Amino acid sequence: MRQKIVAGNWKMNGSLEFANDFVSGVNRAVLPDAIDVVVCPPAPYLLTVSSQIKGAKVGAQNVYFEASGAYTGELSPKILQDVGCEYVLVGHSERRALLSEVDDQIAKKVKAAIDCDLKVILCVGETLEQRASGKLEEVISAQVLAGASLLDVVEFGSLVVAYEPVWAIGTGQTASPQQAQEVHALIRSLLVKLAGETAAENVSILYGGSVNASTAAEIFAQADIDGGLVGGASLKLEEFLVICDHCANAIVGGK
Ligand code: PGA
């Protein structure tokens, strides 16, 4: 059975006080242990969160592909691991669009992070214009094939893919469960091409884009949806915990 995961991406939000309160809240709550709950705060709060949080894992929002050296402002996989990260997001659409991140860099980041034993959540997704002009399959294929291009079959064991349609991120407009499932099945078929049936079958594919407490259950019930990457709703602890429960319930529901 594939690992089910709910990852909360705080993006550039929060404060030290918020991070401490969030951790206290998580530590008072009962997290479902059947899933990986991952919290991705801004980098300066990673150590605070990782050193105190119980029952949840910590992820970074970005990583650089070199091991060390003169790369001002960047963070290596080793540094992230040192401050308690087990996961890292790579290729988020905001980084692609606002910080000019391209597939070539993304592929190197994916490889470097996995080489250092981090689990990578590789983010892919199309814009509304791309979907409207019939380019959905082309865009997703290019992003998945490029992003995972440097991995060998064994390394697919450390890869998670997040399908995040750009038009659904932060807009309140979640993809329908059917729309999401369709693209997840496409991603699974691309992974088969790259790594073969067995390895592809074991890669968790998360949906992201306006996931909230009321949309999560139906989305997580889809065959190829193994959890969620949650932005806005991950900043509200109560709601985030409900989303985590929905993910665990999908397992109970037979997934
Ligand atoms: P959202 O963000 O849940 O606020 O839409 C998701 C993401 O960008 O990871």
Side-chain angles (χ1 to χ4, degrees):
M1 195 179 67
R2 288 188 289 273
Q3 177 68 53
K4 303 293 184 283
I5 302 164
V6 173
N9 173 13
W10 294 8
K11 309 189 180 185
M12 200 174 71
N13 292 299
S15 62
L16 194 53
E17 191 185 0
F18 174 86
N20 281 319
D21 288 349
F22 190 95
V23 170
S24 305
V26 167
N27 291 350
R28 278 194 303 270
V30 183
L31 294 180
D33 50 7
I35 70 166
D36 266 6
V37 176
V38 185
V39 179
C40 304
Y45 309 137
L46 286 167
L47 185 58
T48 306
V49 173
S50 72
S51 60
Q52 299 180 76
I53 205 159
K54 298 193 180 79
K57 298 183 170 166
V58 174
Q61 298 175 15
N62 181 33
V63 64
Y64 196 58
F65 49 78
E66 296 290 353
S68 64
Y71 304 104
T72 302
E74 297 298 322
L75 299 168
S76 70
K78 189 83 202 129
I79 289 172
L80 295 179
Q81 205 180 41
D82 224 14
V83 294
C85 292
E86 290 182 55
Y87 280 84
V88 62
L89 308 181
V90 175
H92 190 282
S93 67
E94 284 148 17
R95 298 199 57 83
R96 291 178 191 258
L98 304 172
L99 293 145
S100 313
E101 222 170 80
V102 293
D103 281 330
D104 180 41
Q105 295 164 307
I106 291 167
K108 289 192 208 161
K109 290 181 175 200
V110 169
K111 170 74 175 155
I114 289 181
D115 274 350
C116 200
D117 291 332
L118 291 166
K119 293 199 175 102
V120 167
I121 302 178
L122 167 65
C123 305
V124 301
E126 82 289 0
T127 63
L128 198 54
E129 295 70 42
Q130 288 165 334
R131 180 175 271 265
S133 59
K135 297 216 172 83
L136 170 66
E137 196 168 330
E138 186 188 321
V139 170
I140 299 297
S141 303
Q143 290 178 353
V144 172
L145 297 177
S149 62
L150 302 178
L151 302 181
D152 65 32
V153 172
V154 173
E155 290 170 329
F156 277 79
S158 300
L159 182 72
V160 174
V161 179
Y163 169 54
E164 299 203 301
V166 176
W167 48 271
I169 295 178
T171 58
Q173 194 193 342
T174 321
S176 72
Q178 294 70 25
Q179 280 175 322
Q181 167 57 30
E182 223 173 86
V183 181
H184 281 231
L186 165 67
I187 293 171
R188 180 96 48 219
S189 72
L190 295 165
L191 294 171
V192 171
K193 275 192 207 155
L194 283 169
E197 287 277 353
T198 314
E201 209 30 58
N202 288 326
V203 175
S204 306
I205 307 178
L206 315 183
Y207 169 80
S210 297
V211 174
N212 60 39
S214 37
T215 56
E218 224 193 326
I219 288 175
F220 295 161
Q222 304 300 309
D224 284 289
I225 303 187
D226 304 305
L229 178 54
V230 187
S234 75
L235 296 166
K236 299 172 223 151
L237 180 60
E238 292 308 315
E239 182 160 15
F240 184 60
L241 294 173
V242 172
I243 294 169
C244 293
D245 283 339
H246 282 310
C247 186
N249 290 342
I251 302 176
V252 178
K255 283 185 65 186

